[in-house]
Amino acid sequence: GAVVSQHPSRVICKSGTSVKIECRSLDFQATTMFWYRQFPKQSLMLMATSNEGSKATYEQGVEKDKFLINHASLTLSTLTVTSAHPEDSSFYICSAGRDGTGIEGGGYTDTQYFGPGTRLTVL
Amino acid sequence: LAKTTQPISMDSYEGQEVNITCSHNNIATNDYITWYQQFPSQGPRFIIQGYKTKVTNEVASLFIPADRKSSTLSLPRVSLSDTAVYYCLVGGNDYKLSFGAGTTVTVRA
């Protein structure tokens, strides 16, 4: 269980075009999804948190008008890179949060499950 | 979010046990510890998660001392296919995680 898919896996586009990436949780419902970006040899950087039915929360330095996020259902979130430029070329990874069970200390074992990633190349 | 510190890299040989220790001195009461594995050009894969003591699954064990300020991921009898980056993350019940640099584990024949 806990499978997350992304589509497309790879996209090449011309500068100035917009690209949409889909993220789906296949076997569980996710009220919260996340979008990350990863440059070569670097760690994952959180771009935004997406909550179903509400506006996404963007991390500092991430342009919300450039990276449009929509979380229209409990199994689907989309990231649209608008007017893409070569510097937007990167590996984009989504994750979906699955509610866990209660644990000692009052927390819950909520866990993020990641998609396979989308390689975006802007020419 | 609690900050984590783990070694940048580790080398091992096939068949050996690999232990990666992660420090998280500022872990909060509600936080749990999660480890992920990432291969190049793939999304991170969930390995194991725990709150205290020891957790074991089919691929790894996680040891957490009583003070919870550190944790050790143990990979038994590694193979070449275990060469990857391993991330230790600490988080609470709001899902949010902060990825550090991770530990690059290289397994040699």
PDB file of all heavy atoms in Angstrom, chain A residues 79-112:
ATOM      1  N   LEU A  79       0.876  20.399 -10.091  1.00  0.00           N
ATOM      2  CA  LEU A  79       1.827  21.513 -10.058  1.00  0.00           C
ATOM      3  C   LEU A  79       1.984  21.999 -11.483  1.00  0.00           C
ATOM      4  O   LEU A  79       2.322  21.212 -12.372  1.00  0.00           O
ATOM      5  CB  LEU A  79       3.178  21.050  -9.508  1.00  0.00           C
ATOM      6  CG  LEU A  79       4.353  22.023  -9.682  1.00  0.00           C
ATOM      7  CD1 LEU A  79       4.162  23.246  -8.790  1.00  0.00           C
ATOM      8  CD2 LEU A  79       5.678  21.340  -9.351  1.00  0.00           C
ATOM      9  N   THR A  80       1.715  23.271 -11.708  1.00  0.00           N
ATOM     10  CA  THR A  80       1.908  23.862 -13.029  1.00  0.00           C
ATOM     11  C   THR A  80       3.036  24.867 -12.961  1.00  0.00           C
ATOM     12  O   THR A  80       2.963  25.830 -12.179  1.00  0.00           O
ATOM     13  CB  THR A  80       0.624  24.549 -13.526  1.00  0.00           C
ATOM     14  OG1 THR A  80      -0.447  23.587 -13.588  1.00  0.00           O
ATOM     15  CG2 THR A  80       0.839  25.143 -14.922  1.00  0.00           C
ATOM     16  N   VAL A  81       4.052  24.618 -13.765  1.00  0.00           N
ATOM     17  CA  VAL A  81       5.169  25.561 -13.863  1.00  0.00           C
ATOM     18  C   VAL A  81       4.821  26.501 -15.020  1.00  0.00           C
ATOM     19  O   VAL A  81       4.771  26.075 -16.183  1.00  0.00           O
ATOM     20  CB  VAL A  81       6.496  24.842 -14.139  1.00  0.00           C
ATOM     21  CG1 VAL A  81       7.644  25.839 -14.171  1.00  0.00           C
ATOM     22  CG2 VAL A  81       6.741  23.761 -13.084  1.00  0.00           C
ATOM     23  N   THR A  82       4.528  27.733 -14.716  1.00  0.00           N
ATOM     24  CA  THR A  82       4.095  28.673 -15.738  1.00  0.00           C
ATOM     25  C   THR A  82       5.292  29.421 -16.316  1.00  0.00           C
ATOM     26  O   THR A  82       6.265  29.715 -15.609  1.00  0.00           O
ATOM     27  CB  THR A  82       3.101  29.688 -15.149  1.00  0.00           C
ATOM     28  OG1 THR A  82       3.754  30.439 -14.115  1.00  0.00           O
ATOM     29  CG2 THR A  82       1.885  28.985 -14.562  1.00  0.00           C
ATOM     30  N   SER A  83       5.209  29.688 -17.610  1.00  0.00           N
ATOM     31  CA  SER A  83       6.275  30.416 -18.303  1.00  0.00           C
ATOM     32  C   SER A  83       7.641  29.883 -17.873  1.00  0.00           C
ATOM     33  O   SER A  83       8.473  30.610 -17.309  1.00  0.00           O
ATOM     34  CB  SER A  83       6.157  31.915 -18.013  1.00  0.00           C
ATOM     35  OG  SER A  83       7.076  32.648 -18.778  1.00  0.00           O
ATOM     36  N   ALA A  84       7.834  28.616 -18.142  1.00  0.00           N
ATOM     37  CA  ALA A  84       9.063  27.955 -17.678  1.00  0.00           C
ATOM     38  C   ALA A  84      10.301  28.529 -18.369  1.00  0.00           C
ATOM     39  O   ALA A  84      10.266  28.906 -19.540  1.00  0.00           O
ATOM     40  CB  ALA A  84       8.964  26.455 -17.942  1.00  0.00           C
ATOM     41  N   HIS A  85      11.369  28.571 -17.620  1.00  0.00           N
ATOM     42  CA  HIS A  85      12.654  29.027 -18.124  1.00  0.00           C
ATOM     43  C   HIS A  85      13.717  27.986 -17.807  1.00  0.00           C
ATOM     44  O   HIS A  85      13.499  27.117 -16.950  1.00  0.00           O
ATOM     45  CB  HIS A  85      13.008  30.384 -17.508  1.00  0.00           C
ATOM     46  CG  HIS A  85      12.126  31.500 -17.994  1.00  0.00           C
ATOM     47  ND1 HIS A  85      12.239  32.039 -19.255  1.00  0.00           N
ATOM     48  CD2 HIS A  85      11.103  32.139 -17.390  1.00  0.00           C
ATOM     49  CE1 HIS A  85      11.327  32.976 -19.400  1.00  0.00           C
ATOM     50  NE2 HIS A  85      10.616  33.062 -18.302  1.00  0.00           N
ATOM     51  N   PRO A  86      14.849  28.035 -18.463  1.00  0.00           N
ATOM     52  CA  PRO A  86      15.883  27.014 -18.239  1.00  0.00           C
ATOM     53  C   PRO A  86      16.257  26.830 -16.773  1.00  0.00           C
ATOM     54  O   PRO A  86      16.535  25.699 -16.348  1.00  0.00           O
ATOM     55  CB  PRO A  86      17.064  27.534 -19.071  1.00  0.00           C
ATOM     56  CG  PRO A  86      16.428  28.254 -20.204  1.00  0.00           C
ATOM     57  CD  PRO A  86      15.212  28.928 -19.600  1.00  0.00           C
ATOM     58  N   GLU A  87      16.203  27.869 -15.993  1.00  0.00           N
ATOM     59  CA  GLU A  87      16.563  27.734 -14.573  1.00  0.00           C
ATOM     60  C   GLU A  87      15.521  26.955 -13.769  1.00  0.00           C
ATOM     61  O   GLU A  87      15.778  26.588 -12.616  1.00  0.00           O
ATOM     62  CB  GLU A  87      16.778  29.112 -13.930  1.00  0.00           C
ATOM     63  CG  GLU A  87      15.612  30.047 -14.012  1.00  0.00           C
ATOM     64  CD  GLU A  87      15.688  30.979 -15.215  1.00  0.00           C
ATOM     65  OE1 GLU A  87      16.297  30.583 -16.239  1.00  0.00           O
ATOM     66  OE2 GLU A  87      15.140  32.089 -15.116  1.00  0.00           O
ATOM     67  N   ASP A  88      14.361  26.708 -14.378  1.00  0.00           N
ATOM     68  CA  ASP A  88      13.341  25.877 -13.726  1.00  0.00           C
ATOM     69  C   ASP A  88      13.585  24.395 -13.961  1.00  0.00           C
ATOM     70  O   ASP A  88      12.883  23.541 -13.393  1.00  0.00           O
ATOM     71  CB  ASP A  88      11.941  26.236 -14.238  1.00  0.00           C
ATOM     72  CG  ASP A  88      11.575  27.674 -13.939  1.00  0.00           C
ATOM     73  OD1 ASP A  88      11.921  28.167 -12.845  1.00  0.00           O
ATOM     74  OD2 ASP A  88      10.949  28.319 -14.805  1.00  0.00           O
ATOM     75  N   SER A  89      14.537  24.093 -14.817  1.00  0.00           N
ATOM     76  CA  SER A  89      14.869  22.693 -15.075  1.00  0.00           C
ATOM     77  C   SER A  89      15.319  22.052 -13.772  1.00  0.00           C
ATOM     78  O   SER A  89      16.219  22.545 -13.091  1.00  0.00           O
ATOM     79  CB  SER A  89      15.988  22.588 -16.119  1.00  0.00           C
ATOM     80  OG  SER A  89      15.572  23.129 -17.358  1.00  0.00           O
ATOM     81  N   SER A  90      14.676  20.950 -13.437  1.00  0.00           N
ATOM     82  CA  SER A  90      14.974  20.295 -12.165  1.00  0.00           C
ATOM     83  C   SER A  90      14.205  18.983 -12.092  1.00  0.00           C
ATOM     84  O   SER A  90      13.481  18.605 -13.020  1.00  0.00           O
ATOM     85  CB  SER A  90      14.567  21.200 -10.994  1.00  0.00           C
ATOM     86  OG  SER A  90      14.994  20.673  -9.761  1.00  0.00           O
ATOM     87  N   PHE A  91      14.376  18.303 -10.978  1.00  0.00           N
ATOM     88  CA  PHE A  91      13.636  17.072 -10.693  1.00  0.00           C
ATOM     89  C   PHE A  91      12.565  17.438  -9.671  1.00  0.00           C
ATOM     90  O   PHE A  91      12.883  17.898  -8.573  1.00  0.00           O
ATOM     91  CB  PHE A  91      14.604  16.026 -10.138  1.00  0.00           C
ATOM     92  CG  PHE A  91      14.057  14.642 -10.033  1.00  0.00           C
ATOM     93  CD1 PHE A  91      13.463  14.017 -11.126  1.00  0.00           C
ATOM     94  CD2 PHE A  91      14.146  13.934  -8.847  1.00  0.00           C
ATOM     95  CE1 PHE A  91      12.965  12.727 -11.024  1.00  0.00           C
ATOM     96  CE2 PHE A  91      13.654  12.635  -8.741  1.00  0.00           C
ATOM     97  CZ  PHE A  91      13.065  12.035  -9.835  1.00  0.00           C
ATOM     98  N   TYR A  92      11.308  17.292 -10.047  1.00  0.00           N
ATOM     99  CA  TYR A  92      10.201  17.664  -9.177  1.00  0.00           C
ATOM    100  C   TYR A  92       9.578  16.387  -8.598  1.00  0.00           C
ATOM    101  O   TYR A  92       9.248  15.453  -9.326  1.00  0.00           O
ATOM    102  CB  TYR A  92       9.156  18.468  -9.945  1.00  0.00           C
ATOM    103  CG  TYR A  92       9.660  19.836 -10.348  1.00  0.00           C
ATOM    104  CD1 TYR A  92      10.376  20.014 -11.532  1.00  0.00           C
ATOM    105  CD2 TYR A  92       9.448  20.939  -9.523  1.00  0.00           C
ATOM    106  CE1 TYR A  92      10.864  21.261 -11.880  1.00  0.00           C
ATOM    107  CE2 TYR A  92       9.939  22.194  -9.870  1.00  0.00           C
ATOM    108  CZ  TYR A  92      10.649  22.341 -11.049  1.00  0.00           C
ATOM    109  OH  TYR A  92      11.133  23.582 -11.396  1.00  0.00           O
ATOM    110  N   ILE A  93       9.435  16.381  -7.298  1.00  0.00           N
ATOM    111  CA  ILE A  93       8.925  15.197  -6.606  1.00  0.00           C
ATOM    112  C   ILE A  93       7.745  15.601  -5.735  1.00  0.00           C
ATOM    113  O   ILE A  93       7.814  16.605  -5.019  1.00  0.00           O
ATOM    114  CB  ILE A  93      10.001  14.563  -5.693  1.00  0.00           C
ATOM    115  CG1 ILE A  93      11.309  14.337  -6.450  1.00  0.00           C
ATOM    116  CG2 ILE A  93       9.501  13.241  -5.103  1.00  0.00           C
ATOM    117  CD1 ILE A  93      12.469  13.950  -5.553  1.00  0.00           C
ATOM    118  N   CYS A  94       6.681  14.816  -5.809  1.00  0.00           N
ATOM    119  CA  CYS A  94       5.560  15.075  -4.921  1.00  0.00           C
ATOM    120  C   CYS A  94       5.498  13.993  -3.852  1.00  0.00           C
ATOM    121  O   CYS A  94       6.105  12.928  -3.990  1.00  0.00           O
ATOM    122  CB  CYS A  94       4.239  15.096  -5.693  1.00  0.00           C
ATOM    123  SG  CYS A  94       3.662  13.473  -6.203  1.00  0.00           S
ATOM    124  N   SER A  95       4.806  14.290  -2.791  1.00  0.00           N
ATOM    125  CA  SER A  95       4.546  13.278  -1.779  1.00  0.00           C
ATOM    126  C   SER A  95       3.123  13.460  -1.271  1.00  0.00           C
ATOM    127  O   SER A  95       2.544  14.538  -1.364  1.00  0.00           O
ATOM    128  CB  SER A  95       5.533  13.369  -0.612  1.00  0.00           C
ATOM    129  OG  SER A  95       5.279  14.507   0.175  1.00  0.00           O
ATOM    130  N   ALA A  96       2.564  12.385  -0.765  1.00  0.00           N
ATOM    131  CA  ALA A  96       1.226  12.407  -0.200  1.00  0.00           C
ATOM    132  C   ALA A  96       1.300  11.938   1.241  1.00  0.00           C
ATOM    133  O   ALA A  96       2.012  10.973   1.549  1.00  0.00           O
ATOM    134  CB  ALA A  96       0.304  11.499  -1.010  1.00  0.00           C
ATOM    135  N   GLY A  97       0.580  12.620   2.101  1.00  0.00           N
ATOM    136  CA  GLY A  97       0.600  12.271   3.501  1.00  0.00           C
ATOM    137  C   GLY A  97      -0.508  11.301   3.851  1.00  0.00           C
ATOM    138  O   GLY A  97      -1.666  11.547   3.516  1.00  0.00           O
ATOM    139  N   ARG A  98      -0.141  10.214   4.482  1.00  0.00           N
ATOM    140  CA  ARG A  98      -1.145   9.248   4.918  1.00  0.00           C
ATOM    141  C   ARG A  98      -1.256   9.309   6.437  1.00  0.00           C
ATOM    142  O   ARG A  98      -0.236   9.219   7.137  1.00  0.00           O
ATOM    143  CB  ARG A  98      -0.783   7.829   4.484  1.00  0.00           C
ATOM    144  CG  ARG A  98      -1.910   6.831   4.745  1.00  0.00           C
ATOM    145  CD  ARG A  98      -1.607   5.470   4.177  1.00  0.00           C
ATOM    146  NE  ARG A  98      -0.643   4.742   5.003  1.00  0.00           N
ATOM    147  CZ  ARG A  98      -0.347   3.471   4.803  1.00  0.00           C
ATOM    148  NH1 ARG A  98      -0.907   2.812   3.815  1.00  0.00           N
ATOM    149  NH2 ARG A  98       0.531   2.869   5.572  1.00  0.00           N
ATOM    150  N   ASP A  99      -2.493   9.465   6.922  1.00  0.00           N
ATOM    151  CA  ASP A  99      -2.707   9.547   8.356  1.00  0.00           C
ATOM    152  C   ASP A  99      -2.288   8.257   9.035  1.00  0.00           C
ATOM    153  O   ASP A  99      -2.574   7.165   8.555  1.00  0.00           O
ATOM    154  CB  ASP A  99      -4.191   9.817   8.654  1.00  0.00           C
ATOM    155  CG  ASP A  99      -4.609  11.189   8.172  1.00  0.00           C
ATOM    156  OD1 ASP A  99      -3.737  12.030   7.941  1.00  0.00           O
ATOM    157  OD2 ASP A  99      -5.829  11.405   8.030  1.00  0.00           O
ATOM    158  N   GLY A 100      -1.620   8.417  10.150  1.00  0.00           N
ATOM    159  CA  GLY A 100      -1.164   7.236  10.859  1.00  0.00           C
ATOM    160  C   GLY A 100      -1.966   6.995  12.113  1.00  0.00           C
ATOM    161  O   GLY A 100      -3.051   7.526  12.294  1.00  0.00           O
ATOM    162  N   THR A 101      -1.394   6.212  12.968  1.00  0.00           N
ATOM    163  CA  THR A 101      -2.073   5.858  14.214  1.00  0.00           C
ATOM    164  C   THR A 101      -1.434   6.607  15.365  1.00  0.00           C
ATOM    165  O   THR A 101      -0.318   7.110  15.248  1.00  0.00           O
ATOM    166  CB  THR A 101      -1.970   4.350  14.470  1.00  0.00           C
ATOM    167  OG1 THR A 101      -0.591   3.989  14.471  1.00  0.00           O
ATOM    168  CG2 THR A 101      -2.688   3.582  13.384  1.00  0.00           C
ATOM    169  N   GLY A 102      -2.125   6.675  16.467  1.00  0.00           N
ATOM    170  CA  GLY A 102      -1.597   7.374  17.618  1.00  0.00           C
ATOM    171  C   GLY A 102      -0.390   6.670  18.208  1.00  0.00           C
ATOM    172  O   GLY A 102      -0.273   5.457  18.163  1.00  0.00           O
ATOM    173  N   ILE A 103       0.524   7.474  18.725  1.00  0.00           N
ATOM    174  CA  ILE A 103       1.702   6.918  19.379  1.00  0.00           C
ATOM    175  C   ILE A 103       1.895   7.597  20.718  1.00  0.00           C
ATOM    176  O   ILE A 103       1.272   8.613  20.999  1.00  0.00           O
ATOM    177  CB  ILE A 103       2.971   7.114  18.529  1.00  0.00           C
ATOM    178  CG1 ILE A 103       3.183   8.601  18.228  1.00  0.00           C
ATOM    179  CG2 ILE A 103       2.905   6.299  17.265  1.00  0.00           C
ATOM    180  CD1 ILE A 103       4.494   8.908  17.560  1.00  0.00           C
ATOM    181  N   GLU A 104       2.744   7.066  21.507  1.00  0.00           N
ATOM    182  CA  GLU A 104       3.039   7.680  22.789  1.00  0.00           C
ATOM    183  C   GLU A 104       3.609   9.074  22.574  1.00  0.00           C
ATOM    184  O   GLU A 104       4.315   9.318  21.606  1.00  0.00           O
ATOM    185  CB  GLU A 104       4.059   6.838  23.559  1.00  0.00           C
ATOM    186  CG  GLU A 104       3.491   5.515  24.014  1.00  0.00           C
ATOM    187  CD  GLU A 104       4.491   4.761  24.869  1.00  0.00           C
ATOM    188  OE1 GLU A 104       4.924   5.313  25.885  1.00  0.00           O
ATOM    189  OE2 GLU A 104       4.840   3.633  24.520  1.00  0.00           O
ATOM    190  N   GLY A 105       3.300   9.970  23.461  1.00  0.00           N
ATOM    191  CA  GLY A 105       3.760  11.339  23.319  1.00  0.00           C
ATOM    192  C   GLY A 105       2.707  12.216  22.673  1.00  0.00           C
ATOM    193  O   GLY A 105       2.880  13.417  22.552  1.00  0.00           O
ATOM    194  N   GLY A 106       1.608  11.619  22.225  1.00  0.00           N
ATOM    195  CA  GLY A 106       0.504  12.409  21.704  1.00  0.00           C
ATOM    196  C   GLY A 106       0.534  12.639  20.213  1.00  0.00           C
ATOM    197  O   GLY A 106      -0.354  13.260  19.655  1.00  0.00           O
ATOM    198  N   GLY A 107       1.564  12.167  19.545  1.00  0.00           N
ATOM    199  CA  GLY A 107       1.638  12.399  18.114  1.00  0.00           C
ATOM    200  C   GLY A 107       0.972  11.289  17.330  1.00  0.00           C
ATOM    201  O   GLY A 107       0.381  10.363  17.887  1.00  0.00           O
ATOM    202  N   TYR A 108       1.068  11.397  16.038  1.00  0.00           N
ATOM    203  CA  TYR A 108       0.525  10.391  15.142  1.00  0.00           C
ATOM    204  C   TYR A 108       1.578  10.069  14.099  1.00  0.00           C
ATOM    205  O   TYR A 108       2.325  10.936  13.682  1.00  0.00           O
ATOM    206  CB  TYR A 108      -0.748  10.903  14.451  1.00  0.00           C
ATOM    207  CG  TYR A 108      -1.897  11.057  15.414  1.00  0.00           C
ATOM    208  CD1 TYR A 108      -2.048  12.222  16.141  1.00  0.00           C
ATOM    209  CD2 TYR A 108      -2.795  10.023  15.617  1.00  0.00           C
ATOM    210  CE1 TYR A 108      -3.082  12.357  17.047  1.00  0.00           C
ATOM    211  CE2 TYR A 108      -3.829  10.151  16.516  1.00  0.00           C
ATOM    212  CZ  TYR A 108      -3.963  11.319  17.228  1.00  0.00           C
ATOM    213  OH  TYR A 108      -4.976  11.448  18.130  1.00  0.00           O
ATOM    214  N   THR A 109       1.586   8.827  13.698  1.00  0.00           N
ATOM    215  CA  THR A 109       2.600   8.415  12.737  1.00  0.00           C
ATOM    216  C   THR A 109       2.182   8.771  11.330  1.00  0.00           C
ATOM    217  O   THR A 109       2.100   7.924  10.452  1.00  0.00           O
ATOM    218  CB  THR A 109       2.866   6.905  12.833  1.00  0.00           C
ATOM    219  OG1 THR A 109       1.619   6.219  12.671  1.00  0.00           O
ATOM    220  CG2 THR A 109       3.482   6.535  14.159  1.00  0.00           C
ATOM    221  N   ASP A 110       1.883  10.052  11.140  1.00  0.00           N
ATOM    222  CA  ASP A 110       1.595  10.509   9.784  1.00  0.00           C
ATOM    223  C   ASP A 110       2.860  10.390   8.955  1.00  0.00           C
ATOM    224  O   ASP A 110       3.939  10.776   9.394  1.00  0.00           O
ATOM    225  CB  ASP A 110       1.148  11.975   9.813  1.00  0.00           C
ATOM    226  CG  ASP A 110      -0.110  12.158  10.648  1.00  0.00           C
ATOM    227  OD1 ASP A 110      -0.874  11.191  10.790  1.00  0.00           O
ATOM    228  OD2 ASP A 110      -0.307  13.273  11.154  1.00  0.00           O
ATOM    229  N   THR A 111       2.732   9.877   7.767  1.00  0.00           N
ATOM    230  CA  THR A 111       3.905   9.563   6.964  1.00  0.00           C
ATOM    231  C   THR A 111       3.736  10.079   5.553  1.00  0.00           C
ATOM    232  O   THR A 111       2.651   9.994   4.984  1.00  0.00           O
ATOM    233  CB  THR A 111       4.125   8.044   6.917  1.00  0.00           C
ATOM    234  OG1 THR A 111       4.225   7.544   8.252  1.00  0.00           O
ATOM    235  CG2 THR A 111       5.397   7.694   6.148  1.00  0.00           C
ATOM    236  N   GLN A 112       4.809  10.624   5.006  1.00  0.00           N
ATOM    237  CA  GLN A 112       4.809  11.046   3.607  1.00  0.00           C
ATOM    238  C   GLN A 112       5.292   9.899   2.730  1.00  0.00           C
ATOM    239  O   GLN A 112       6.295   9.260   3.034  1.00  0.00           O
ATOM    240  CB  GLN A 112       5.748  12.243   3.406  1.00  0.00           C
ATOM    241  CG  GLN A 112       5.233  13.546   3.966  1.00  0.00           C
ATOM    242  CD  GLN A 112       6.095  14.717   3.554  1.00  0.00           C
ATOM    243  OE1 GLN A 112       6.523  14.810   2.407  1.00  0.00           O
ATOM    244  NE2 GLN A 112       6.352  15.616   4.492  1.00  0.00           N
TER     245      GLN A 112
END
